[in-house]
mmCIF file of all heavy atoms in Angstrom:
data_model
loop_
_atom_site.group_PDB
_atom_site.id
_atom_site.type_symbol
_atom_site.label_atom_id
_atom_site.label_comp_id
_atom_site.label_asym_id
_atom_site.label_seq_id
_atom_site.Cartn_x
_atom_site.Cartn_y
_atom_site.Cartn_z
ATOM 1 N N ARG A 1 -14.764 -1.622 -12.069
ATOM 2 C CA ARG A 1 -14.540 -2.974 -11.506
ATOM 3 C C ARG A 1 -13.346 -2.942 -10.524
ATOM 4 O O ARG A 1 -12.503 -2.026 -10.602
ATOM 5 C CB ARG A 1 -14.270 -3.973 -12.606
ATOM 6 C CG ARG A 1 -12.952 -3.776 -13.390
ATOM 7 C CD ARG A 1 -12.819 -4.804 -14.467
ATOM 8 N NE ARG A 1 -11.606 -4.627 -15.235
ATOM 9 C CZ ARG A 1 -10.431 -5.189 -14.926
ATOM 10 N NH1 ARG A 1 -10.350 -5.916 -13.824
ATOM 11 N NH2 ARG A 1 -9.358 -4.983 -15.703
ATOM 12 N N GLU A 2 -13.301 -3.905 -9.656
ATOM 13 C CA GLU A 2 -12.167 -4.019 -8.726
ATOM 14 C C GLU A 2 -10.934 -4.408 -9.450
ATOM 15 O O GLU A 2 -10.910 -5.375 -10.226
ATOM 16 C CB GLU A 2 -12.552 -5.030 -7.617
ATOM 17 C CG GLU A 2 -11.594 -5.069 -6.446
ATOM 18 C CD GLU A 2 -12.051 -6.047 -5.411
ATOM 19 O OE1 GLU A 2 -11.944 -7.254 -5.625
ATOM 20 O OE2 GLU A 2 -12.522 -5.567 -4.381
ATOM 21 N N ASN A 3 -9.868 -3.716 -9.245
ATOM 22 C CA ASN A 3 -8.646 -3.913 -9.998
ATOM 23 C C ASN A 3 -7.454 -3.676 -9.082
ATOM 24 O O ASN A 3 -6.799 -2.598 -9.205
ATOM 25 C CB ASN A 3 -8.638 -2.955 -11.198
ATOM 26 C CG ASN A 3 -7.623 -3.276 -12.202
ATOM 27 O OD1 ASN A 3 -7.033 -4.386 -12.173
ATOM 28 N ND2 ASN A 3 -7.411 -2.372 -13.164
ATOM 29 N N ILE A 4 -7.155 -4.553 -8.202
ATOM 30 C CA ILE A 4 -6.205 -4.332 -7.151
ATOM 31 C C ILE A 4 -4.872 -4.942 -7.481
ATOM 32 O O ILE A 4 -4.758 -6.096 -7.932
ATOM 33 C CB ILE A 4 -6.710 -4.912 -5.799
ATOM 34 C CG1 ILE A 4 -8.085 -4.318 -5.434
ATOM 35 C CG2 ILE A 4 -5.724 -4.615 -4.694
ATOM 36 C CD1 ILE A 4 -8.704 -4.886 -4.221
ATOM 37 N N ALA A 5 -3.816 -4.216 -7.269
ATOM 38 C CA ALA A 5 -2.454 -4.645 -7.470
ATOM 39 C C ALA A 5 -1.805 -4.963 -6.148
ATOM 40 O O ALA A 5 -2.073 -4.349 -5.153
ATOM 41 C CB ALA A 5 -1.623 -3.581 -8.205
ATOM 42 N N LEU A 6 -0.940 -5.991 -6.140
ATOM 43 C CA LEU A 6 -0.173 -6.363 -4.977
ATOM 44 C C LEU A 6 1.250 -5.929 -5.200
ATOM 45 O O LEU A 6 1.863 -6.317 -6.203
ATOM 46 C CB LEU A 6 -0.221 -7.896 -4.723
ATOM 47 C CG LEU A 6 0.604 -8.428 -3.568
ATOM 48 C CD1 LEU A 6 0.104 -7.875 -2.203
ATOM 49 C CD2 LEU A 6 0.621 -9.937 -3.539
ATOM 50 N N LEU A 7 1.791 -5.145 -4.295
ATOM 51 C CA LEU A 7 3.177 -4.657 -4.354
ATOM 52 C C LEU A 7 3.975 -5.325 -3.230
ATOM 53 O O LEU A 7 3.680 -5.134 -2.042
ATOM 54 C CB LEU A 7 3.186 -3.152 -4.184
ATOM 55 C CG LEU A 7 4.548 -2.464 -4.173
ATOM 56 C CD1 LEU A 7 5.317 -2.745 -5.452
ATOM 57 C CD2 LEU A 7 4.355 -0.967 -3.928
ATOM 58 N N ILE A 8 5.007 -6.076 -3.618
ATOM 59 C CA ILE A 8 5.873 -6.795 -2.637
ATOM 60 C C ILE A 8 7.181 -6.083 -2.577
ATOM 61 O O ILE A 8 7.897 -5.959 -3.578
ATOM 62 C CB ILE A 8 6.063 -8.214 -3.064
ATOM 63 C CG1 ILE A 8 4.720 -8.921 -3.371
ATOM 64 C CG2 ILE A 8 6.765 -9.025 -1.968
ATOM 65 C CD1 ILE A 8 4.822 -10.328 -3.933
ATOM 66 N N VAL A 9 7.580 -5.642 -1.382
ATOM 67 C CA VAL A 9 8.793 -4.850 -1.247
ATOM 68 C C VAL A 9 9.566 -5.342 0.032
ATOM 69 O O VAL A 9 8.986 -5.945 0.938
ATOM 70 C CB VAL A 9 8.489 -3.345 -1.100
ATOM 71 C CG1 VAL A 9 7.650 -2.883 -2.239
ATOM 72 C CG2 VAL A 9 7.727 -3.090 0.239
ATOM 73 N N PRO A 10 10.876 -5.011 0.146
ATOM 74 C CA PRO A 10 11.556 -5.215 1.430
ATOM 75 C C PRO A 10 10.882 -4.334 2.499
ATOM 76 O O PRO A 10 10.377 -3.233 2.154
ATOM 77 C CB PRO A 10 12.967 -4.744 1.109
ATOM 78 C CG PRO A 10 13.114 -4.887 -0.347
ATOM 79 C CD PRO A 10 11.775 -4.560 -0.908
ATOM 80 N N ALA A 11 10.923 -4.745 3.713
ATOM 81 C CA ALA A 11 10.243 -3.978 4.796
ATOM 82 C C ALA A 11 10.770 -2.547 4.894
ATOM 83 O O ALA A 11 10.057 -1.631 5.200
ATOM 84 C CB ALA A 11 10.446 -4.728 6.115
ATOM 85 N N SER A 12 12.035 -2.367 4.585
ATOM 86 C CA SER A 12 12.627 -1.060 4.696
ATOM 87 C C SER A 12 12.106 -0.043 3.684
ATOM 88 O O SER A 12 12.315 1.176 3.840
ATOM 89 C CB SER A 12 14.184 -1.121 4.539
ATOM 90 O OG SER A 12 14.528 -1.711 3.306
ATOM 91 N N LEU A 13 11.402 -0.542 2.645
ATOM 92 C CA LEU A 13 10.904 0.338 1.587
ATOM 93 C C LEU A 13 9.462 0.653 1.635
ATOM 94 O O LEU A 13 8.914 1.383 0.805
ATOM 95 C CB LEU A 13 11.254 -0.248 0.223
ATOM 96 C CG LEU A 13 12.740 -0.336 -0.153
ATOM 97 C CD1 LEU A 13 12.900 -0.870 -1.578
ATOM 98 C CD2 LEU A 13 13.449 0.997 -0.024
ATOM 99 N N ILE A 14 8.761 0.122 2.639
ATOM 100 C CA ILE A 14 7.315 0.377 2.769
ATOM 101 C C ILE A 14 7.018 1.830 2.849
ATOM 102 O O ILE A 14 6.163 2.375 2.111
ATOM 103 C CB ILE A 14 6.740 -0.391 3.989
ATOM 104 C CG1 ILE A 14 6.742 -1.897 3.778
ATOM 105 C CG2 ILE A 14 5.326 0.066 4.258
ATOM 106 C CD1 ILE A 14 6.220 -2.714 4.915
ATOM 107 N N ARG A 15 7.688 2.512 3.752
ATOM 108 C CA ARG A 15 7.397 3.940 3.967
ATOM 109 C C ARG A 15 7.800 4.752 2.775
ATOM 110 O O ARG A 15 7.191 5.748 2.437
ATOM 111 C CB ARG A 15 8.156 4.459 5.218
ATOM 112 C CG ARG A 15 7.555 3.891 6.496
ATOM 113 C CD ARG A 15 6.087 4.264 6.651
ATOM 114 N NE ARG A 15 5.416 3.543 7.681
ATOM 115 C CZ ARG A 15 4.105 3.498 7.855
ATOM 116 N NH1 ARG A 15 3.317 4.175 7.018
ATOM 117 N NH2 ARG A 15 3.536 2.831 8.816
ATOM 118 N N ASN A 16 8.855 4.327 2.064
ATOM 119 C CA ASN A 16 9.284 5.043 0.877
ATOM 120 C C ASN A 16 8.204 5.028 -0.197
ATOM 121 O O ASN A 16 7.834 6.007 -0.842
ATOM 122 C CB ASN A 16 10.605 4.488 0.346
ATOM 123 C CG ASN A 16 11.111 5.174 -0.878
ATOM 124 O OD1 ASN A 16 11.436 6.347 -0.876
ATOM 125 N ND2 ASN A 16 11.025 4.503 -2.017
ATOM 126 N N TRP A 17 7.650 3.803 -0.390
ATOM 127 C CA TRP A 17 6.552 3.623 -1.385
ATOM 128 C C TRP A 17 5.338 4.443 -0.988
ATOM 129 O O TRP A 17 4.706 5.061 -1.828
ATOM 130 C CB TRP A 17 6.235 2.175 -1.585
ATOM 131 C CG TRP A 17 7.028 1.458 -2.591
ATOM 132 C CD1 TRP A 17 8.170 0.790 -2.453
ATOM 133 C CD2 TRP A 17 6.755 1.460 -4.039
ATOM 134 N NE1 TRP A 17 8.642 0.299 -3.656
ATOM 135 C CE2 TRP A 17 7.776 0.672 -4.646
ATOM 136 C CE3 TRP A 17 5.762 1.937 -4.814
ATOM 137 C CZ2 TRP A 17 7.860 0.417 -6.009
ATOM 138 C CZ3 TRP A 17 5.799 1.686 -6.212
ATOM 139 C CH2 TRP A 17 6.852 0.983 -6.759
ATOM 140 N N LYS A 18 4.983 4.418 0.276
ATOM 141 C CA LYS A 18 3.834 5.171 0.732
ATOM 142 C C LYS A 18 4.002 6.668 0.531
ATOM 143 O O LYS A 18 3.061 7.338 0.063
ATOM 144 C CB LYS A 18 3.591 4.823 2.240
ATOM 145 C CG LYS A 18 2.320 5.546 2.795
ATOM 146 C CD LYS A 18 1.066 5.008 2.102
ATOM 147 C CE LYS A 18 -0.213 5.493 2.827
ATOM 148 N NZ LYS A 18 -0.412 6.912 2.772
ATOM 149 N N SER A 19 5.161 7.144 0.819
ATOM 150 C CA SER A 19 5.422 8.594 0.690
ATOM 151 C C SER A 19 5.411 8.983 -0.802
ATOM 152 O O SER A 19 4.916 10.084 -1.165
ATOM 153 C CB SER A 19 6.745 9.021 1.326
ATOM 154 O OG SER A 19 7.813 8.373 0.690
ATOM 155 N N GLU A 20 5.934 8.080 -1.664
ATOM 156 C CA GLU A 20 5.917 8.388 -3.123
ATOM 157 C C GLU A 20 4.488 8.395 -3.672
ATOM 158 O O GLU A 20 4.121 9.215 -4.494
ATOM 159 C CB GLU A 20 6.712 7.330 -3.866
ATOM 160 C CG GLU A 20 8.203 7.328 -3.534
ATOM 161 C CD GLU A 20 8.989 8.481 -4.154
ATOM 162 O OE1 GLU A 20 9.308 8.372 -5.362
ATOM 163 O OE2 GLU A 20 9.213 9.491 -3.468
ATOM 164 N N ILE A 21 3.627 7.464 -3.176
ATOM 165 C CA ILE A 21 2.253 7.460 -3.545
ATOM 166 C C ILE A 21 1.547 8.755 -3.144
ATOM 167 O O ILE A 21 0.847 9.361 -3.921
ATOM 168 C CB ILE A 21 1.560 6.187 -2.983
ATOM 169 C CG1 ILE A 21 2.094 4.922 -3.666
ATOM 170 C CG2 ILE A 21 0.015 6.315 -3.177
ATOM 171 C CD1 ILE A 21 1.612 3.667 -2.995
ATOM 172 N N ASP A 22 1.724 9.113 -1.843
ATOM 173 C CA ASP A 22 1.108 10.307 -1.356
ATOM 174 C C ASP A 22 1.528 11.556 -2.108
ATOM 175 O O ASP A 22 0.743 12.510 -2.284
ATOM 176 C CB ASP A 22 1.405 10.492 0.142
ATOM 177 C CG ASP A 22 0.783 9.396 1.004
ATOM 178 O OD1 ASP A 22 -0.154 8.732 0.530
ATOM 179 O OD2 ASP A 22 1.233 9.164 2.146
ATOM 180 N N ARG A 23 2.778 11.576 -2.525
ATOM 181 C CA ARG A 23 3.325 12.767 -3.178
ATOM 182 C C ARG A 23 2.939 12.834 -4.661
ATOM 183 O O ARG A 23 2.543 13.866 -5.195
ATOM 184 C CB ARG A 23 4.839 12.761 -3.033
ATOM 185 C CG ARG A 23 5.528 13.958 -3.687
ATOM 186 C CD ARG A 23 7.044 13.849 -3.509
ATOM 187 N NE ARG A 23 7.722 14.922 -4.162
ATOM 188 C CZ ARG A 23 9.055 15.038 -4.287
ATOM 189 N NH1 ARG A 23 9.797 14.102 -3.774
ATOM 190 N NH2 ARG A 23 9.602 16.122 -4.898
ATOM 191 N N PHE A 24 3.094 11.708 -5.401
ATOM 192 C CA PHE A 24 2.956 11.740 -6.857
ATOM 193 C C PHE A 24 1.624 11.150 -7.381
ATOM 194 O O PHE A 24 1.217 11.532 -8.462
ATOM 195 C CB PHE A 24 4.135 10.980 -7.513
ATOM 196 C CG PHE A 24 5.477 11.601 -7.219
ATOM 197 C CD1 PHE A 24 6.406 10.873 -6.526
ATOM 198 C CD2 PHE A 24 5.760 12.880 -7.639
ATOM 199 C CE1 PHE A 24 7.652 11.432 -6.243
ATOM 200 C CE2 PHE A 24 6.981 13.415 -7.376
ATOM 201 C CZ PHE A 24 7.952 12.718 -6.659
ATOM 202 N N ALA A 25 1.001 10.259 -6.609
ATOM 203 C CA ALA A 25 -0.233 9.668 -7.045
ATOM 204 C C ALA A 25 -1.205 9.566 -5.935
ATOM 205 O O ALA A 25 -1.667 8.487 -5.504
ATOM 206 C CB ALA A 25 0.064 8.259 -7.606
ATOM 207 N N PRO A 26 -1.659 10.701 -5.377
ATOM 208 C CA PRO A 26 -2.525 10.693 -4.195
ATOM 209 C C PRO A 26 -3.886 10.112 -4.430
ATOM 210 O O PRO A 26 -4.597 9.738 -3.478
ATOM 211 C CB PRO A 26 -2.616 12.199 -3.821
ATOM 212 C CG PRO A 26 -2.288 12.939 -5.117
ATOM 213 C CD PRO A 26 -1.294 12.078 -5.782
ATOM 214 N N SER A 27 -4.308 9.952 -5.679
ATOM 215 C CA SER A 27 -5.617 9.346 -5.983
ATOM 216 C C SER A 27 -5.609 7.833 -5.795
ATOM 217 O O SER A 27 -6.652 7.238 -5.756
ATOM 218 C CB SER A 27 -6.047 9.646 -7.397
ATOM 219 O OG SER A 27 -5.172 9.129 -8.361
ATOM 220 N N LEU A 28 -4.398 7.201 -5.678
ATOM 221 C CA LEU A 28 -4.292 5.776 -5.451
ATOM 222 C C LEU A 28 -4.487 5.491 -3.955
ATOM 223 O O LEU A 28 -3.823 6.081 -3.100
ATOM 224 C CB LEU A 28 -2.947 5.246 -5.892
ATOM 225 C CG LEU A 28 -2.661 5.289 -7.415
ATOM 226 C CD1 LEU A 28 -1.242 4.844 -7.671
ATOM 227 C CD2 LEU A 28 -3.649 4.466 -8.196
ATOM 228 N N ARG A 29 -5.389 4.587 -3.601
ATOM 229 C CA ARG A 29 -5.598 4.207 -2.219
ATOM 230 C C ARG A 29 -4.872 2.854 -1.973
ATOM 231 O O ARG A 29 -4.986 1.914 -2.733
ATOM 232 C CB ARG A 29 -7.085 4.011 -1.919
ATOM 233 C CG ARG A 29 -7.920 5.284 -2.012
ATOM 234 C CD ARG A 29 -9.293 5.037 -1.465
ATOM 235 N NE ARG A 29 -9.269 4.678 -0.073
ATOM 236 C CZ ARG A 29 -10.278 4.016 0.544
ATOM 237 N NH1 ARG A 29 -11.354 3.609 -0.136
ATOM 238 N NH2 ARG A 29 -10.167 3.675 1.824
ATOM 239 N N CYS A 30 -4.046 2.869 -0.896
ATOM 240 C CA CYS A 30 -3.249 1.671 -0.629
ATOM 241 C C CYS A 30 -3.535 1.175 0.772
ATOM 242 O O CYS A 30 -3.750 1.905 1.731
ATOM 243 C CB CYS A 30 -1.764 1.915 -0.842
ATOM 244 S SG CYS A 30 -1.002 3.063 0.299
ATOM 245 N N TRP A 31 -3.410 -0.195 0.911
ATOM 246 C CA TRP A 31 -3.525 -0.902 2.226
ATOM 247 C C TRP A 31 -2.146 -1.535 2.445
ATOM 248 O O TRP A 31 -1.614 -2.218 1.634
ATOM 249 C CB TRP A 31 -4.615 -1.934 2.156
ATOM 250 C CG TRP A 31 -4.761 -2.709 3.432
ATOM 251 C CD1 TRP A 31 -3.990 -3.735 3.883
ATOM 252 C CD2 TRP A 31 -5.736 -2.516 4.411
ATOM 253 N NE1 TRP A 31 -4.458 -4.189 5.092
ATOM 254 C CE2 TRP A 31 -5.501 -3.422 5.490
ATOM 255 C CE3 TRP A 31 -6.779 -1.546 4.610
ATOM 256 C CZ2 TRP A 31 -6.289 -3.493 6.624
ATOM 257 C CZ3 TRP A 31 -7.571 -1.632 5.739
ATOM 258 C CH2 TRP A 31 -7.298 -2.560 6.717
ATOM 259 N N ILE A 32 -1.572 -1.296 3.634
ATOM 260 C CA ILE A 32 -0.264 -1.824 3.989
ATOM 261 C C ILE A 32 -0.495 -3.069 4.853
ATOM 262 O O ILE A 32 -0.803 -2.972 6.034
ATOM 263 C CB ILE A 32 0.575 -0.782 4.702
ATOM 264 C CG1 ILE A 32 0.788 0.427 3.871
ATOM 265 C CG2 ILE A 32 1.953 -1.398 5.080
ATOM 266 C CD1 ILE A 32 1.552 1.546 4.464
ATOM 267 N N ALA A 33 -0.246 -4.252 4.249
ATOM 268 C CA ALA A 33 -0.406 -5.521 4.941
ATOM 269 C C ALA A 33 0.890 -5.870 5.617
ATOM 270 O O ALA A 33 1.706 -6.684 5.144
ATOM 271 C CB ALA A 33 -0.817 -6.603 3.961
ATOM 272 N N HIS A 34 1.111 -5.230 6.762
ATOM 273 C CA HIS A 34 2.386 -5.407 7.525
ATOM 274 C C HIS A 34 2.150 -4.921 8.923
ATOM 275 O O HIS A 34 1.334 -4.001 9.118
ATOM 276 C CB HIS A 34 3.520 -4.624 6.825
ATOM 277 C CG HIS A 34 4.848 -4.893 7.414
ATOM 278 N ND1 HIS A 34 5.470 -4.138 8.372
ATOM 279 C CD2 HIS A 34 5.729 -5.884 7.162
ATOM 280 C CE1 HIS A 34 6.632 -4.609 8.664
ATOM 281 N NE2 HIS A 34 6.826 -5.683 7.969
ATOM 282 N N PRO A 35 2.791 -5.457 9.938
ATOM 283 C CA PRO A 35 2.620 -5.001 11.280
ATOM 284 C C PRO A 35 2.869 -3.513 11.484
ATOM 285 O O PRO A 35 2.265 -2.883 12.333
ATOM 286 C CB PRO A 35 3.604 -5.832 12.093
ATOM 287 C CG PRO A 35 3.732 -7.100 11.303
ATOM 288 C CD PRO A 35 3.628 -6.667 9.870
ATOM 289 N N SER A 36 3.753 -2.945 10.670
ATOM 290 C CA SER A 36 4.030 -1.486 10.751
ATOM 291 C C SER A 36 2.985 -0.633 10.098
ATOM 292 O O SER A 36 3.005 0.577 10.226
ATOM 293 C CB SER A 36 5.414 -1.188 10.118
ATOM 294 O OG SER A 36 5.313 -1.429 8.712
ATOM 295 N N GLY A 37 2.031 -1.285 9.367
ATOM 296 C CA GLY A 37 0.969 -0.563 8.681
ATOM 297 C C GLY A 37 -0.376 -0.845 9.231
ATOM 298 O O GLY A 37 -0.685 -0.605 10.425
ATOM 299 N N HIS A 38 -1.262 -1.481 8.407
ATOM 300 C CA HIS A 38 -2.644 -1.737 8.826
ATOM 301 C C HIS A 38 -2.774 -3.130 9.490
ATOM 302 O O HIS A 38 -3.866 -3.551 9.886
ATOM 303 C CB HIS A 38 -3.594 -1.706 7.621
ATOM 304 C CG HIS A 38 -3.673 -0.353 7.010
ATOM 305 N ND1 HIS A 38 -3.001 -0.003 5.858
ATOM 306 C CD2 HIS A 38 -4.356 0.749 7.370
ATOM 307 C CE1 HIS A 38 -3.276 1.238 5.535
ATOM 308 N NE2 HIS A 38 -4.075 1.730 6.456
ATOM 309 N N GLY A 39 -1.669 -3.851 9.617
ATOM 310 C CA GLY A 39 -1.684 -5.169 10.217
ATOM 311 C C GLY A 39 -1.830 -6.275 9.182
ATOM 312 O O GLY A 39 -1.883 -6.007 7.973
ATOM 313 N N LEU A 40 -1.890 -7.538 9.655
ATOM 314 C CA LEU A 40 -1.902 -8.685 8.771
ATOM 315 C C LEU A 40 -3.278 -9.323 8.576
ATOM 316 O O LEU A 40 -3.382 -10.261 7.784
ATOM 317 C CB LEU A 40 -0.874 -9.716 9.249
ATOM 318 C CG LEU A 40 0.571 -9.260 9.318
ATOM 319 C CD1 LEU A 40 1.450 -10.365 9.906
ATOM 320 C CD2 LEU A 40 1.116 -8.844 7.954
ATOM 321 N N SER A 41 -4.293 -8.908 9.259
ATOM 322 C CA SER A 41 -5.607 -9.519 9.166
ATOM 323 C C SER A 41 -6.232 -9.187 7.804
ATOM 324 O O SER A 41 -5.856 -8.209 7.154
ATOM 325 C CB SER A 41 -6.544 -9.070 10.272
ATOM 326 O OG SER A 41 -6.625 -7.618 10.246
ATOM 327 N N ARG A 42 -7.149 -10.044 7.407
ATOM 328 C CA ARG A 42 -7.772 -9.878 6.098
ATOM 329 C C ARG A 42 -8.539 -8.560 6.062
ATOM 330 O O ARG A 42 -9.461 -8.335 6.833
ATOM 331 C CB ARG A 42 -8.696 -11.047 5.780
ATOM 332 C CG ARG A 42 -9.265 -11.039 4.388
ATOM 333 C CD ARG A 42 -10.409 -12.082 4.274
ATOM 334 N NE ARG A 42 -9.864 -13.413 4.542
ATOM 335 C CZ ARG A 42 -9.367 -14.232 3.641
ATOM 336 N NH1 ARG A 42 -9.341 -13.859 2.376
ATOM 337 N NH2 ARG A 42 -8.903 -15.421 3.987
ATOM 338 N N PRO A 43 -8.246 -7.673 5.124
ATOM 339 C CA PRO A 43 -8.892 -6.348 5.068
ATOM 340 C C PRO A 43 -10.112 -6.336 4.113
ATOM 341 O O PRO A 43 -10.187 -7.197 3.260
ATOM 342 C CB PRO A 43 -7.819 -5.477 4.530
ATOM 343 C CG PRO A 43 -7.067 -6.287 3.595
ATOM 344 C CD PRO A 43 -7.147 -7.699 4.125
ATOM 345 N N PRO A 44 -11.011 -5.383 4.280
ATOM 346 C CA PRO A 44 -12.034 -5.145 3.301
ATOM 347 C C PRO A 44 -11.422 -4.227 2.200
ATOM 348 O O PRO A 44 -11.244 -3.091 2.320
ATOM 349 C CB PRO A 44 -13.095 -4.338 4.100
ATOM 350 C CG PRO A 44 -12.359 -3.636 5.134
ATOM 351 C CD PRO A 44 -11.156 -4.506 5.480
ATOM 352 N N LEU A 45 -11.120 -4.889 1.047
ATOM 353 C CA LEU A 45 -10.354 -4.226 0.042
ATOM 354 C C LEU A 45 -11.139 -3.418 -0.993
ATOM 355 O O LEU A 45 -10.559 -2.836 -1.885
ATOM 356 C CB LEU A 45 -9.454 -5.239 -0.735
ATOM 357 C CG LEU A 45 -8.344 -5.830 0.078
ATOM 358 C CD1 LEU A 45 -7.540 -6.892 -0.743
ATOM 359 C CD2 LEU A 45 -7.355 -4.790 0.617
ATOM 360 N N ALA A 46 -12.438 -3.399 -0.810
ATOM 361 C CA ALA A 46 -13.271 -2.640 -1.769
ATOM 362 C C ALA A 46 -12.860 -1.173 -1.717
ATOM 363 O O ALA A 46 -12.722 -0.574 -0.681
ATOM 364 C CB ALA A 46 -14.745 -2.774 -1.387
#
């Protein structure tokens, strides 16, 4: 089943979280809802 978590962080920590995910939990797929990431439009989260 779909089981999505929302992570809210200061803008300065977005890249830190992404790098930690890539390094320690690469099986987790993340969407960055921010202009510096994938943008702010509604994404297909499946």
Side-chain angles (χ1 to χ4, degrees):
R1 67 182 180 89
E2 191 175 72
N3 194 11
I4 304 176
L6 176 65
L7 176 60
I8 309 172
V9 304
S12 59
L13 294 184
I14 289 178
R15 290 301 167 193
N16 180 68
W17 271 94
K18 183 63 170 66
S19 64
E20 295 285 279
I21 291 170
D22 293 342
R23 181 181 177 187
F24 299 118
S27 63
L28 295 175
R29 294 190 62 202
C30 68
W31 180 279
I32 300 176
H34 189 263
S36 66
H38 297 102
L40 298 177
S41 58
R42 187 190 300 269
L45 291 178

